[in-house]
Structure formats: C-alpha cells, structure tokens
C-alpha cells in the first residue's frame, strides 16, 4: 500500500512538468483571447448603435495618415440625435488607413457623391459616432485561431492527469533476475513481465475480422491538428509580414525568414488534403477463417469493401512477414523493418472480382511465427493495395498472429 | 576456484516445443552460496536493443558449496530459436549463484525441426 | 526476385552486443586522468557530446570501472521516447541501498522538475551523479566526446578482421554522409554486412 502511494506521488512529478508546459499554452491563449476579445466586443457593440442621417462637412484624403506612406480619410460630419446636434470626425473605429491610394480615393469620392449619408451613433454617449462599422470577421477569426492554443492547453492538462502510468503495474511486480541483465550489459535490460501466449488449446475462434494498423480518420485528424497548430503559429508572423507590405514598408528580413515555415505549412495542408481524399476510399474488410493460424496451416481469407469500388484499377492482396528491431541508445529510438516473406495471394484488374472474394492463405511451415517483445518483433500481415488513377491509392496492412506449429497436429 | 555447470540428459541441445528437458545443475564453490538459481530464458541479439524474458526459474535450496541438483523443465511452444537480418532469438539455460556473482550459461535450440529457424529473403528493406 | 542468404543477426559484427563489447577510445586523456577528474568533481559531472559521439558507450565503460573499484554504480536511461519519471529514478536509487554513483544516460530528456529533484536528492545523500547530455550546463563537464575518422577506424579494427575493414576513402564518405555520427555509420555497416553470404 505504501509503495502504491509513493509511486503515485513520484509520477506526479512528471505530470507537473507537463501541466506547466500546457499551462503556458493556456495562459498565452487566454491573454491573447482577452486582448482581441475586448476589441471584438467593442466592434460588436457598434452593431447595436443607432443609424442616423448625417451631413458631411468636409471629406478629403489624408496624405500622411499614421505613417508617411499610408493614406487615411480626413472627415468631418454633423448629425442630430435626440434633438441635439453633434459633430464627429471618426470614419471608423480603429481605422488603420491604407497604402493603396486608389482605394482611399474611391471611399472619399463615394462619401462626397452620396447625398444620403448615415452614421452610427452610440445611444449611451451620442457624442460618439462612426461613419462605418468595422467588420467582425478579422477579430472573430483571430479569436478562433487562439482557441487552438486553448484546446492544446486544456487538452494537454486533461490528458496528463487522466492517462495512467503504463508501467505502474509492471514495476510493482517482483522481477526475476538474470545474469544477462547484471553481467553482460551495463544497462538494466527490461525483462518482459508478460510472457507472450503461444498456447494453442485455449482459443480457437471460428473466424476473426482483421483490423488495419492505420486509420484514415486518425491520420486525417492528426493532419488537421498538425496543420492548425503549425499554421496557427505561422499565421501570426505572416499577418505581420502582410501588414508591412500593406503599409508599403515591407519587412524583408521577416519575409525571408518566414518562407520555409510557410512552405512547411503548405506541405502540411497538402498532406491533410491527401488524407481527406483517402477518407473516401473504399475500405477493405478482411476475415480469416479459422481465426487461429499456426505455421504450416491453411486459412481462408475473405474480403469485402465498404465504399466506392469502381475507380480501383488494380487490386493486390499479399501475405507478408517482417522483422522489426528498435534501438534506443542515445537520445532517440530508431526502428528498422525488414520484410522476409512475401507471397501474392490475389491480384486482379477486373472490378467485379475486386468487390468481394475468398482466397486460400497458406502459412509456410518452415518459417517464424509472430513474436512481440519490447524492442524486437516479428509481424505477419495481409497487405491490401488498390491503385486508383488521380487519387490516393488504397494501402492497408492488417496484422494478424501466426502461432507456432500445433504440436498436436504433428503426425 | 568456482565451477558451475549444467548437464542436460544425453547432452541434448536441440528441443521441440512442449518437450521436457531433464538434467543436473552442478556447482563447486569456495564459499557457501546464499542462493542458486536455474533460469530458462530467451533473449534477442541483433540491430535492436536486446530483450530478455525469463520463462522459468528454479531456486535451489542449498547451503553446500559443492552440490548437484536435478531439474526437469517442460519447454513452451515458443518463441522458436530464430535468426533473421535484424534479430536473433536465442534460448539458454543459466545457472546463477548469489544474484549473478557467478554464472554459467548454456545455449539450447527450440524449434520443431531442432534447427534454428533462419530466413531466405529478398534484399528488400522497408 | 534474387534471393540472398542474410547473415544471422547474432553473427553480424555490428550487432548491439558486439558494439557494447568494444573498448572505448579516450581522446587526449587516460582512464586514470578521467577518473581523477571525476573524483575532483565528487563524481558529480557531465559527459557531453553530439548524437552518436559515444557518450553512452563511455558511460557503459565507466560503469564497469566503478564496479571494479567497488563503487556500486547504478544506471538509468532516458530518451525522447522513454523519459524517466522521478518515481522511476527514485525506485532505481532506493532499490540499491549500497549505490554510491548514479550513471544517468540522457539527462537532457528529464523533465525540469524531475532533474531538480534528482539533483537535490543525490546531493543531500552524497550520491555521485554522472550524466550524459548534448550540451553543457547541467553539471560541470568532465569529458567532451568528439568523433573523428581515426576513432571510427579504431572501432572497426575491434569489430572486423583487417582484410574486411573498408578503405579510408569509403569510410570517410560514409562518415561525412552521416554527419560524423559514428552510431549511424555503424548501423549502416550493419545493413551492409547483413547481406554478406555467411
């Protein structure tokens, strides 16, 4: 009981680290949201102001508005509200002007030529009036982008405190000692506390539906998350660059600096789009009968597809086995894969043959069965490949367990 | 001088899955051992970090510096002794005195054919 | 399809267990000097170096040396995929009451809080703490692991018979291709040897 409490408090240490990290995201997004939010609320309120007829007293182009290279609108207008006359010189709340002379001239001409001009008056403070209202779109979208960071912060904190320590149970069990662990190597090798079950007698399901090792939706969601996260950050700097160009004072250093980041962002968009298209691919459903496949036996593989099939030009189903070795010395882990067995089970370019079918799948006798340790694996899988013209191809791997030869079958 | 050995019946080194292995564990030590253990284990070697799994462990109750104890272990169905390009799976019996201060290890083969499973492969690496 | 008989993984001269058995080649110092230097830091120091420069291998060798000296070292290992928690580190230390030195590989992958707790815990109990990390700063630097082509050649001399050692030009090319990361060079050589007929 004591060790249980200890282990919990120990694990809390790394949880606090993660919480701190995600809290920074959360605080950053909350600060940004409140700054933009205040501006948004101010603009939003103007939509409830009263539309009132006004008379333009003067309207001309301001040639040095805020900076020397930007143009603004120098305006003065009078309006009557609740029987009292007021004058205002504000064109729009927080108006930044423009470096485009033609654009400003067009607005000024429009105001001068229009006989029916209205302004928006704050009913609570009639001295305050704007000739036009600012769009809610810019600040609204900025707030939405900020919510990505909020989601990362909140999600990260929730995930950190909800996830269980995977090694908790393992570490509480007494581990057997081996001289291999203490004598040959410096590092304590991880002794598998769970032995892989190679018994053949307990489970003999009639059939088994195979699961793909990748999910189109998961890939898409991952792509969306990565794209939003990356481009969300890049967009902040990109808007600064665009602003500098708009004002006619291009920030070339930032522009050159940001180009590779924008390219990565575009690549992520393309990858996400690729996964989005893949979502519409037909999904293979594979069944093995019988569900237990020892070495040297033949099992029946049946398949059907869910979704559109008619665009698949060529379908191939193969049986393969591969070794996987993960090496985690130093600061990174690397996994090498090597396919040592590959057998084509089915191949066709006739659509009617693709939609569903059955094929015998013989597992070779003199081969290696499935094996799974922490760093080393032998994985058997059925691979489905469908070629589609001008569309992402179908490519799914369905791992399954090949057991050692059944000793009771030996004749 | 310390001397540890494992003698398997008929000097057999290759076994089929499910077969029972019988033998004797022997030791001649200078001091009285605190513990003597016989492990049946497999471990991996190759390109990846090594994995080790002790499948069966027999602890001998002894206070004699020189002794021999018979043992009998039924081998599991797998994993088979295997060698590929990236990994080898090796089975061994290991006699350990005092948590590894003295150790003797003897490799065995576990497979239906009595031979280590090897692969003939194309040169494709994914 | 051409079938090639692959060399057994266990026989590959570049298999992990073979690499771990090769002696470590110290540059510009001796084992005696290095151990003295560590002692002068109360065995609380860092081994620094870039990826694949031999930090872990050096730590392995230090483990053997400390063990032979009866200093009861214990080890812990962290990387990007397996960051250690404070609980795991504490368990490592408490499970070995005789320990005098903790050899920690990949200290830069610990959480900040975990690192401070470990530093404080070991300092209070006068436990040595020798770490590997990519950059200096966590503890005083005792040794900087650097690689060069001569080091690679020396390692290969340990692993291969003389007639099988690749010539200097191809080694240099391989070494530069892998950004002077000897670990990666050895992994590539593993693949090259894997398809040699045995």
């Amino acid at each position: 009981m004591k060790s249980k409490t200890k282990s919990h408090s120990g694990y809390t240490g790394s949880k606090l680290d993660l919480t701190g990290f995600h809290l920074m995201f959360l605080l950053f997004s909350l600060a940004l949201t409140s700054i933009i939010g205040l501006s948004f609320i101010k603009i939003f309120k103007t939509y409830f102001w009263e539309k009132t007829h006004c008379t333009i007293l003067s309207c001309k182009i301001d040639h040095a508005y805020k900076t020397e290279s930007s143009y603004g609108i120098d305006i003065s207008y009078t309006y009557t509200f609740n029987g009292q006359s007021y004058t205002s010189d504000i064109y729009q709340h927080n108006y930044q002007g423009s470096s485009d002379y033609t654009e400003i001239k067009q607005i000024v001409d429009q105001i001068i030529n229009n006989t029916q001009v209205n302004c928006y008056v704050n009913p609570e403070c009639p001295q305050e009036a704007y000739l036009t209202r600012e769009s809610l779109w810019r600040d609204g979208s900025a707030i939405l982008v900020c919510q990505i960071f909020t989601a990362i912060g909140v999600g990260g904190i929730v995930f950190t405190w909800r996830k269980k320590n995977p090694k908790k149970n393992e570490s509480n069990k007494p581990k057997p000692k081996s001289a291999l662990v203490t004598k040959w190597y410096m590092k304590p090798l991880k002794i598998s506390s769970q032995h892989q079950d190679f018994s053949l007698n307990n489970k003999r399901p009639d059939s088994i539906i195979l699961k793909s090792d990748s999910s189109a939706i998961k890939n898409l969601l991952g792509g969306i998350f990565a794209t939003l996260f990356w481009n969300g950050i890049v967009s902040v700097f990109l808007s600064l660059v665009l602003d500098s160009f708009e004002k006619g004072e291009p920030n070339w250093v930032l522009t050159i600096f940001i180009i590779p980041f924008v390219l990565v962002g575009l690549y992520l968009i393309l990858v996400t789009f690729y996964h989005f298209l893949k979502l519409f691919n037909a999904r293979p459903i594979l069944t093995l009968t019988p569900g237990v496949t020892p070495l040297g036996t033949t099992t029946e593989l049946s398949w059907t597809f869910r979704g559109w099939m008619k665009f698949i030009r060529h379908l191939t189903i193969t049986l393969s086995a591969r070794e996987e070795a993960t090496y985690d010395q130093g600061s990174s882990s690397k996994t090498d894969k090597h396919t040592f067995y590959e057998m084509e089970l089915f191949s066709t370019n006739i659509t009617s043959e693709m939609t569903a079918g059955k094929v015998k799948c013989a597992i070779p006798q003199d081969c290696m069965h499935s094996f799974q340790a922490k760093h080393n694996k032998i994985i058997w899988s059925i691979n489905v490949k469908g070629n589609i013209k001008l569309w992402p191809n179908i490519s799914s791997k369905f791992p399954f367990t090949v057991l050692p030869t059944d000793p009771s079958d030996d004749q | 001088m310390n001397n540890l050995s494992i003698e398997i019946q008929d000097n057999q080194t290759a076994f089929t899955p499910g077969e029972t292995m019988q033998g004797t564990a022997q030791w001649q030590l200078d001091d009285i051992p605190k513990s003597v253990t016989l492990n049946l284990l497999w471990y991996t070697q190759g390109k990846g970090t090594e994995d080790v799994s002790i499948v069966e462990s027999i602890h001998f109750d002894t206070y004699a510096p020189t002794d021999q104890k018979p043992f009998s272990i039924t081998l599991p169905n797998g994993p088979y002794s295997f060698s590929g390009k990236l990994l080898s799976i090796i089975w061994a019996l290991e006699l350990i005195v005092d948590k590894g201060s003295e150790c003797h290890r003897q490799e065995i083969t576990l497979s239906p054919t009595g031979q280590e499973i090897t692969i003939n492969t194309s040169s494709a690496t994914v | 399809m051409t079938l090639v008989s692959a060399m057994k993984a266990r026989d590959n001269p570049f298999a992990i267990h073979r690499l771990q058995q090769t002696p470590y080649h110290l540059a510009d110092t001796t084992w005696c000097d290095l151990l003295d230097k560590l002692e002068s830091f109360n065995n609380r120091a860092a081994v620094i170096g870039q990826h694949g420069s031999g930090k872990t291998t050096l730590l392995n060798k230090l483990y053997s040396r400390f063990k032979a000296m009866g200093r009861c070292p214990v080890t812990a290992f962290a990387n990007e995929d397996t960051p250690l928690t404070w609980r795991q580190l504490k368990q490592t230390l408490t499970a070995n009451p005789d320990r005098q030195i903790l050899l920690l590989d990949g200290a830069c992958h610990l959480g900040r809080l975990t690192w401070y707790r470990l530093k404080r815990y070991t300092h209070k109990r006068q436990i040595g703490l020798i770490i590997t990390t990519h950059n200096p700063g966590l503890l005083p630097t005792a040794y900087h692991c650097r690689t060069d082509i001569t080091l690679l050649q020396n390692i290969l001399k340990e692993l291969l018979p003389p007639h099988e050692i690749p010539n200097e030009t191809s080694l240099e090319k391989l070494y530069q291709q892998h950004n002077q990361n000897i670990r990666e060079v050895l992994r590539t050589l593993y693949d090259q040897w894997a398809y040699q007929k045995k």
Side-chain angles (χ1 to χ4, degrees):
Chain A
M1 215 43 204
K2 197 181 168 190
S3 65
K4 205 172 182 180
T5 320
K6 270 186 178 177
S7 68
H8 182 77
S9 67
Y11 189 54
T12 308
S14 69
K15 279 186 170 181
L16 283 174
D17 287 357
L18 281 171
T19 307
F21 175 74
H22 290 114
L23 201 62
M24 283 200 304
F25 270 95
L26 188 60
L27 292 176
F28 171 71
S29 74
L30 288 179
L32 215 60
T33 306
S34 24
I35 293 165
I36 304 168
L38 285 173
S39 160
F40 181 84
I41 290 166
K42 198 157 189 185
I43 299 163
F44 187 68
K45 275 184 179 173
T46 63
Y47 281 77
F48 297 96
W49 289 8
E50 287 200 22
K51 195 174 179 181
T52 310
H53 176 71
C54 68
T55 309
I56 304 293
L57 300 174
S58 71
C59 182
K60 59 184 181 185
I61 297 169
D62 185 346
H63 288 269
Y65 187 76
K66 295 202 173 177
T67 62
E68 280 187 10
S69 56
S70 70
Y71 304 98
I73 299 163
D74 184 357
I75 194 165
S76 174
Y77 53 93
T78 178
Y79 56 95
T80 307
F81 192 80
N82 287 343
Q84 211 165 341
S85 186
Y86 300 94
T87 306
S88 172
D89 57 359
I90 302 171
Y91 170 67
Q92 188 188 69
H93 167 63
N94 202 21
Y95 186 63
Q96 297 297 316
S98 170
S99 57
D100 186 354
Y101 178 80
T102 329
E103 182 192 324
I104 298 293
K105 191 169 186 324
Q106 242 174 11
I107 296 170
V108 170
D109 290 346
Q110 210 174 0
I111 294 168
I112 293 168
N113 296 333
N114 203 342
T115 48
Q116 281 289 319
V117 181
N118 294 313
C119 64
Y120 298 90
V121 181
N122 182 356
E124 288 167 13
C125 177
Q127 293 92 328
E128 198 178 5
Y130 303 145
L131 201 65
T132 61
R133 291 176 298 197
E134 200 177 343
S135 164
L136 287 168
W137 185 87
R138 198 186 68 178
D139 283 4
S141 54
I143 288 172
L144 282 177
V145 170
C146 284
Q147 298 327 298
I148 298 167
F149 297 97
T150 311
I152 293 166
V154 173
I157 292 168
V158 170
F159 180 74
T160 304
W161 288 96
R162 275 187 63 184
K163 85 171 170 185
K164 290 173 185 169
N165 182 6
K167 287 174 183 169
K168 194 174 179 177
N169 293 333
E170 205 177 296
S171 61
N172 288 341
K173 287 181 187 171
K175 285 178 181 170
K177 296 277 182 198
S178 160
L180 276 171
V181 178
T182 56
K183 197 167 184 178
W184 288 7
Y185 309 104
M186 165 246 172
K187 260 185 280 179
L189 292 179
K190 301 279 189 320
I191 294 179
S192 311
S193 56
Q194 284 184 323
H195 299 299
Q196 199 178 346
D197 185 10
F198 293 109
S199 61
L200 298 150
N201 304 324
N202 303 336
K203 42 183 184 183
R204 285 184 179 269
D206 293 335
S207 64
I208 186 167
I209 297 170
L210 303 182
K211 276 185 186 171
S212 172
D213 63 358
S214 64
S215 154
I217 290 179
K218 272 186 193 169
N219 289 340
L220 178 65
L221 289 176
I224 289 173
F225 179 78
T227 306
L228 288 178
F229 180 72
W230 183 270
N231 289 315
I233 294 168
V234 171
S235 66
V236 176
F237 297 97
L238 192 64
S239 66
L240 291 176
V241 169
L242 292 176
D243 272 358
S244 75
F245 272 90
E246 230 172 59
K247 287 174 185 167
E249 292 170 344
N251 186 340
W252 289 111
V253 176
L254 188 60
T255 307
I256 292 164
F257 175 77
I258 208 170
I259 285 172
F261 295 94
V262 172
L263 290 177
V264 172
L266 290 173
Y267 174 75
L268 284 173
I269 291 170
L270 286 176
V271 169
T272 308
F273 184 63
Y274 176 83
H275 285 301
F276 173 72
L277 295 181
K278 258 195 142 178
L279 212 59
F280 300 99
N281 276 347
R283 263 166 289 174
I285 299 162
L286 306 186
T287 310
L288 281 182
T289 313
V292 172
T293 47
L295 289 165
T297 60
T298 300
T299 183
E300 190 178 74
L301 171 73
S302 56
W303 74 90
T304 57
F305 277 90
R306 191 180 290 161
W308 293 344
M309 285 292 299
K310 61 179 177 180
F311 300 114
I312 303 176
R313 295 189 146 211
H314 190 89
L315 179 74
T316 317
I317 300 175
T318 51
L319 168 68
S320 78
R322 67 177 188 272
E323 302 170 80
E324 276 191 19
T326 303
Y327 176 61
D328 59 14
Q329 192 183 5
S331 58
S332 58
S333 290
K334 286 200 170 169
T335 302
D336 283 63
K337 297 175 185 180
H338 169 243
T339 302
F340 63 84
Y341 181 85
E342 200 152 33
M343 173 66 72
E344 190 175 280
L345 299 176
F346 182 77
S347 178
T348 187
N349 44 21
I350 303 164
T351 309
S352 60
E353 288 180 359
M354 292 176 194
T355 47
K358 283 179 183 178
V359 70
K360 293 284 179 198
C361 172
I363 312 292
Q365 171 89 48
D366 55 347
C367 213
M368 183 59 186
H369 55 79
S370 301
F371 168 76
Q372 185 154 1
K374 188 171 165 34
H375 301 97
N376 298 278
K377 288 172 189 162
I378 304 280
I379 298 170
W380 282 85
S381 65
I382 305 282
N383 309 331
V384 180
K385 279 187 181 172
N387 291 337
I388 307 169
K389 201 177 180 185
L390 301 172
W391 198 265
N393 291 333
I394 295 170
S395 180
S396 302
K397 283 184 178 168
F398 295 83
F400 68 104
T401 305
V402 170
L403 290 168
T405 315
D406 188 347
S408 62
D409 289 347
D410 289 347
Q411 300 302 312
Chain B
M1 170 123 178
N2 295 327
N3 192 13
L4 306 176
S5 66
I6 302 165
E7 273 184 21
I8 301 171
Q9 203 172 52
D10 302 327
N11 291 325
Q12 192 179 346
T13 53
F15 297 88
T16 53
E19 195 177 343
T20 301
M21 172 171 50
Q22 289 181 323
T24 313
Q26 301 174 351
W27 58 92
Q28 285 177 298
L29 305 166
D30 298 334
D31 302 313
I32 296 169
K34 286 177 194 159
S35 67
V36 179
T37 308
L38 181 76
N39 287 328
L40 171 69
L41 58 101
W42 57 255
Y43 57 94
T44 64
Q45 282 184 342
K47 202 175 183 184
T49 304
E50 294 93 336
D51 288 307
V52 183
S53 178
I54 295 175
V55 175
E56 196 160 338
S57 209
I58 300 170
H59 301 278
F60 297 116
D61 296 321
T62 182
Y63 299 101
T66 301
D67 204 349
Q68 60 175 40
K69 297 274 181 185
F71 65 86
S72 175
I73 299 172
T74 302
L75 292 160
N77 284 334
Y80 293 165
S81 298
F82 168 78
S83 264
K85 179 201 159 191
L86 300 177
L87 72 113
S88 289
I89 301 169
I90 300 153
W91 277 90
L93 274 173
E94 189 184 61
L95 187 63
I96 305 172
V97 175
D98 295 342
K99 295 179 179 173
S101 64
E102 291 293 331
C103 169
H104 172 72
R105 189 175 54 92
Q106 185 163 331
E107 282 185 21
I108 58 166
T109 304
L110 176 73
S111 87
T113 57
Q115 302 275 317
E116 183 184 52
I117 306 291
T118 52
I119 53 168
N120 277 334
T121 173
S122 70
S123 55
T125 301
V126 287
Chain C
M1 189 160 66
T2 317
L3 291 177
V4 182
S5 181
M7 174 184 267
K8 288 179 182 179
R10 60 192 298 187
D11 296 333
N12 196 309
F14 300 98
I16 298 301
H17 68 284
R18 299 279 179 104
L19 299 181
Q20 285 174 339
Q21 283 163 8
T22 56
Y24 191 84
H25 301 272
L26 285 172
D28 309 323
T29 188
T30 61
W31 280 105
C32 238
D33 289 346
L34 178 61
L35 290 168
D36 282 349
K37 194 172 182 183
L38 287 169
E39 202 66 53
S40 71
F41 288 131
N42 291 324
N43 287 320
R44 292 178 67 80
V47 171
I48 64 163
Q50 291 310 302
H51 290 279
S53 58
K55 300 182 295 296
T56 307
T57 317
L58 175 58
L59 213 63
N60 280 341
K61 304 300 171 189
L62 280 173
Y63 175 85
S64 308
R65 299 250 166 189
F66 282 128
K67 204 172 179 189
M69 289 157 68
R71 302 296 299 269
C72 297
V74 285
T75 61
F77 168 74
N79 73 9
E80 284 158 0
D81 301 322
T82 51
L84 279 171
T85 61
W86 168 237
R87 181 181 65 88
Q88 289 166 319
L89 279 166
K90 201 175 170 187
Q91 229 173 28
T92 308
L93 291 166
T94 49
N96 300 279
D98 301 331
R99 78 278 177 274
Q100 292 175 20
I101 300 170
L102 172 67
L103 302 173
L104 172 62
D105 192 13
C108 44
H109 298 291
L110 294 187
R112 192 160 290 185
L113 195 63
T114 308
W115 166 247
Y116 284 122
R117 290 173 91 169
L118 174 70
K119 207 172 154 183
R120 200 179 54 190
Y121 184 92
T122 49
H123 181 71
K124 270 187 179 176
R125 287 161 184 79
Q126 295 183 321
I127 301 169
L129 178 62
I130 297 173
I131 59 167
T132 68
T133 175
H134 294 305
N135 297 306
L138 291 177
L139 286 174
T141 303
Y143 186 75
H144 192 161
C145 292
R146 290 187 180 90
T147 64
D148 57 33
I149 193 74
T150 319
L151 174 65
L152 177 60
Q153 281 170 326
N154 286 337
I155 294 171
L156 294 184
K157 276 179 197 165
E158 302 289 342
L159 296 167
L160 299 170
H163 65 277
E164 285 187 22
I165 296 174
N167 63 48
E168 202 174 333
T169 321
S170 60
L171 267 188
E172 178 71 43
K173 197 177 163 191
L174 208 57
Y175 179 64
Q176 296 304 339
Q177 265 175 5
H178 290 94
N179 299 319
Q180 306 174 357
N181 183 329
I182 287 188
R183 190 196 307 148
E184 286 307 311
V185 173
L186 296 172
R187 284 171 62 79
T188 302
L189 289 170
Y190 181 101
D191 290 334
Q192 288 181 8
W193 253 253
Y195 285 109
Q196 289 196 355
K197 273 207 165 188
K198 189 85 179 173

